Amino acid sequence: MSAAGRVALVGSGAGDPGLLTRRAETLLAEADLVLAHPAVPDAVLNLAGPRAEVLRSADEPVGAQLLNAARAGRQVVRLLPGDPFATPAGVKEAETVVRGGQQLEVVPSVPVADAVAAYAGLPLGPVRTVAEVTDGTDWRALASRGGTLVLLAPVAEVPKIGSALVEHGRRPEAPVAVTVGGTGPDQQTVVSTLDALETDVAGLSGDAVVVLGDPVKKVGRLGWYEQRALYGWRVLVPRTRDQAGVLSDALRRHGAIPVEVPTIAVEPPRTAAPMDRAIRGLVTGRYAWVAFTSTNAVRAVREKITELGLDSRAYAGVKIAAVGEATAASLRELGLEPDLLPSHQHSSEGLLADWAARDEVYDPLDRVLLPRADIATDTLLAGLLHRGWQVDEVTAYRTVRAAPPSAEIRDALKGGGFDAVLFTSSSTVRNLVGIAGKPHESTVLAAIGPRTQATAVEHGLAVAVLAEQAEIGSLVEALAAHALLRREQGLELPSAPRRRRLARGSR
């Protein structure tokens, strides 16, 4: 028996990667091969480690493939929708691995019925019957069950569920909740009655979780997932490719569907010598301060320090200033705590407001290193010079316009297919308009600060949302507050059909 390889059957649950067990995350991070069922969402596959080969299997047992990979010494994760042992296919694959003499581990998931019901605001309670609808379903037995009834079926079968239960004794006006896309960004919950299901679920697709009983009465109060401020909003995120993730994560927490469209590409400076001299000056004690105005600058300096065979000790004896919390967070990842952060406005102006003038007694060194983009403004530079500091500004990176997005994205932007666009800098405004065109007039435009707003106005764009602080978190919170206000005023956006459907069915 070979002990080198291993097979883990892992349940991906209802689909939200945040509901995976910690053991499942660990196995995905350590895997050499991830073999996923077609129904497993991409968001779960994205948790695979960097060394993993990720493949999608056919919709059939792949026990032999798992066995061969384990015999070759590979750490294999078989990802299955729901729970690994919820279907005969998963059991069959496990038996194949065991018969082949390979190590097997089974990692269960949160049951689909429980996960989807919780996201839909349906407290199932302890007395419930959960059944998958098949050709052999005993409708008489199901109709006679007390407590909560939970049925799993393709949404195309939902009207048949209503008629079958009524035929076997359930009241036609009995309330029922149908959720499709459960725990995913497109989750939709319809509250209806057994006799109106055919009409109310028309247009829905996918697999459904159908709930009958007292929990349906709680949807209006407890349906937290679909009641989030930005639920269903399609938001265009025009950022550099490696920075979009932070903004997208913040949007998802409010229920939005972020669509990342890189508008800026970050490239090294054309000439390496100035940065080389700056880092050597940092090490040899030339500077009293180093001021970072972006996470890109932090990254560029870190990479140059590493390239020169140095580490974070290069900052020894130097004070560090950061323009805002996002920049400070990137410094803390390197074990560096900023000595100066703006106390109010997170911007160059805010940083200057808190930066003291040089004192010849207390500041024997008078020089500040300012690594930044090639197109940065001179606000901070001029302010520091006015305060008596000498400044070595050096181009740490260049920002260039990214390639145009797909025709589908461009058409959606100009045709009102996005509910909002977030502008995080003046360059994102200029570049987005340059590569994709102007957003539709119905699209909500949000800007991270007054300068970005002014650039948008210069391009004929009306900004409806302005962040209180020039930070990603503040920008997203401002958009969420705007969305709640629109909802209170009864205003809708292109994504509103989900809420209309929920409201229509909640009777």
Side-chain angles (χ1 to χ4, degrees), residues 2 113 117 190 200-201 219 269 314 339 342 387-388 420 457 474:
S2 171
V190 172
D200 285 345
V201 302
V219 171
D339 298 279
R387 284 163 172 73
V457 172
S474 179

Side-chain angles (χ1 to χ4, degrees), residues 33-40 45 54-66 78-81 87 89-90 92-93:
L33 171 65
V34 176
L35 193 58
H37 187 278
V40 173
L45 290 182
V54 180
L55 301 174
R56 285 204 181 270
S57 68
D59 190 7
E60 57 188 27
V62 292
Q65 190 173 353
L66 301 175
R78 170 59 165 157
L79 269 178
L80 293 165
T87 63
K92 185 175 181 179
E93 291 174 359

Side-chain angles (χ1 to χ4, degrees), residues 20 46 153 169 194 197 278 374 390 488:
L20 288 179
N46 290 339
L194 287 178
L197 277 176
D374 57 332
Q390 300 300 310
E488 292 172 1

Side-chain angles (χ1 to χ4, degrees), residues 342-360:
S343 57
H344 298 292
Q345 182 183 359
H346 290 179
S347 64
S348 294
E349 292 86 350
L351 188 60
L352 277 172
D354 291 328
W355 199 309
R358 180 182 176 247
D359 187 301
E360 293 185 1

Side-chain angles (χ1 to χ4, degrees), residues 58 82 103 110 140 178 220 243 295 354 392 418 433-434 444 464 483:
Q103 294 184 54
V110 177
R140 184 177 300 279
V178 180
Q243 290 179 323
T295 58
D354 291 328
D392 287 354
F418 289 101
V433 172
V444 176

Side-chain angles (χ1 to χ4, degrees), residues 141-290:
L142 287 177
S144 64
R145 293 287 179 89
T148 301
L149 181 60
V150 184
L151 301 176
L152 311 179
V155 74
E157 300 294 319
V158 169
K160 298 178 183 178
I161 291 175
S163 58
L165 290 175
V166 169
E167 180 182 346
H168 289 87
R170 289 284 182 127
R171 295 181 297 108
E173 67 275 14
V176 56
V178 180
T179 302
V180 297
T183 79
D186 296 315
Q187 175 177 306
Q188 300 179 49
T189 299
V190 172
V191 176
S192 182
T193 55
L194 287 178
D195 60 351
L197 277 176
E198 183 171 4
T199 299
D200 285 345
V201 302
L204 298 182
S205 61
D207 293 328
V209 175
V210 182
V211 178
L212 292 89
D214 290 340
V216 180
K217 303 173 185 177
K218 304 291 183 72
V219 171
R221 296 195 303 275
L222 301 181
W224 64 275
Y225 190 74
E226 295 172 49
Q227 292 173 11
R228 290 174 296 170
L230 297 174
Y231 172 71
W233 282 45
R234 293 188 76 228
V235 180
L236 189 145
V237 180
R239 295 272 282 173
T240 56
R241 187 175 299 277
D242 57 347
Q243 290 179 323
V246 174
L247 181 51
S248 293
D249 288 344
L251 287 167
R252 289 189 188 98
R253 286 194 290 273
H254 285 283
I257 303 171
V259 179
E260 297 175 3
V261 177
T263 59
I264 299 173
V266 175
E267 296 184 357
R270 297 186 187 279
T271 305
M275 272 289 282
D276 290 347
R277 288 195 298 269
I279 300 305
R280 291 192 177 96
L282 191 67
V283 174
T284 57
R286 176 178 173 82
Y287 301 108
W289 285 87
V290 55

Side-chain angles (χ1 to χ4, degrees), residues 419-423 429 433 438-447 452-466 479 482 486:
D419 300 308
V421 174
L422 301 190
F423 291 121
V429 177
V433 172
K438 294 183 179 181
H440 190 271
E441 61 182 12
S442 68
T443 304
V444 176
L445 305 183
T452 303
Q453 181 184 32
T455 303
V457 172
E458 290 172 4
H459 286 76
L461 304 177
V463 172
V465 177
L466 185 65
L479 181 64
H482 177 81
R486 289 184 67 104

